[in-house]
Amino acid sequence: MLSAYKYRLYPNEEQGVRLKRTLRSLCDLYNWLRGEKIRRYKEEGKSLTKTDLRALALQARRGSDELQEVYSQVVQNAADRVHIAFRNFLEGRARFPRAKNYKKYRSLTYPQSGFRLQGEVTKRGKKTELRGRLFISKMGEVRIFLHRPIEGEIERLTVKYEAGEWYACLITGQKRPEKPHIESIPKERIRGADLGLERFITLDNSESEGYPEFLRRSEEKIRMLQRSISRKKRVSKRYNQLAFQLAKLHLHTARQREDWQNKIVSKIFKEADVIVLERLSIQNILKNHNLAKSIADASFGRFAGRCIHKTDALGKHSVFVDAWGTTQFCFRCLHWVPKELSDREHICPNCGVKLPRDLNSARLIKRLGILALRRPPSDGGSSPAELRLLPSLRGMVSPSVEAGSHRF
Ligand SMILES: [Zn+2]
């Protein structure tokens, strides 16, 4: 299993200049490779493979003084990024890859080698300090602040520039814990979760978490700053100052959100072995023009990512189900109970159950998840339960409802 560690880097002035120059050269290379990929497809009908792109990148490196100054695997990694961008587009996960400008191209990756971390523990009185130096090929020794110890073998280094600060992201490999057999997990150790705009998360055991006040405040500050920026002249001094402040604020808010979500995830897995969530469709997220909704969708996506990461680390399971109809049917009897967004209660005329709308959804999601776990695999069990066909209400409810014109 891979773990990521992020540390602050303190390059000296010369190293900072060299890092920025490298980012520019790599950005130019990325855009050129993207253009080549499109051109060759249009003119020759040839789809450049990952290997082709890497070869082109190395060829470009041989002819460029600037790229000669960059570690060759870092140059190849820029080609891999072009390959991944097109693959994500072709597999429906992202938009068509756009050309990047210098402001958007902010990281370089040493995929296997070309770096070495040295840490030393020093004692000053009672205080223990962890000082570190990161040797980066073509950059030299860079000062690094190791705020927490690193475990496992370092496999990959990405240097990032975020709002005027440099960071090193180190990926380490650790042994993946054995996952318990998913079919044998008792129902009480399975948590169904509904993510929403009113409460961030509602669980089938009635627990819920709202959106914290500090996040609302940060988001409000971002909106205010964006409004004042839009009144300033572009490329004026004041504009640049505000743009920098805004970038810092975005970073700060992202960290707050990350921290808050990680706490929720940890709490859930103290008492559960499986989490069941709705699968979000990237198409719906991209189509959405409502700002509040699209921000929420993005944070749901990150939450799902954290759950997967956590379950891999702990040897637990994340299960996804089809979101179709999970707000419109009764969790107990599967009766159709249509609701508007403003209806906060679920009252079933068939079985008489009455409970908050989000709680009904969470229980219904759990029910679908259990179905997924207990269902005999269609492939003879060769793939893990998480990867089997998404369980859906579509096949479980009466056909007259499914064929009806009501939208979910
Ligand atoms: Zn009912």
Side-chain angles (χ1 to χ4, degrees), residues 330 332-335 346 348 350-353:
C330 177
R332 187 180 284 166
C333 69
L334 295 185
H335 190 76
H346 169 85
C348 179
N350 188 45
C351 71
V353 68

Side-chain angles (χ1 to χ4, degrees), residues 1-3 5 151-156 171-176:
M1 198 200 86
L2 301 174
S3 301
Y5 295 84
E151 281 162 33
E153 200 78 7
I154 304 171
E155 295 184 349
R156 188 183 177 89
I171 306 291
T172 65
Q174 279 167 347
K175 234 181 138 228
R176 195 185 275 261

Side-chain angles (χ1 to χ4, degrees), residues 29 33 50 53-54 57 75-84:
L29 177 69
L33 288 171
K50 186 172 171 178
L53 287 166
R54 281 183 170 189
V75 172
Q76 290 193 34
N77 175 264
D80 291 356
R81 291 182 188 192
V82 175
H83 173 74
I84 290 165

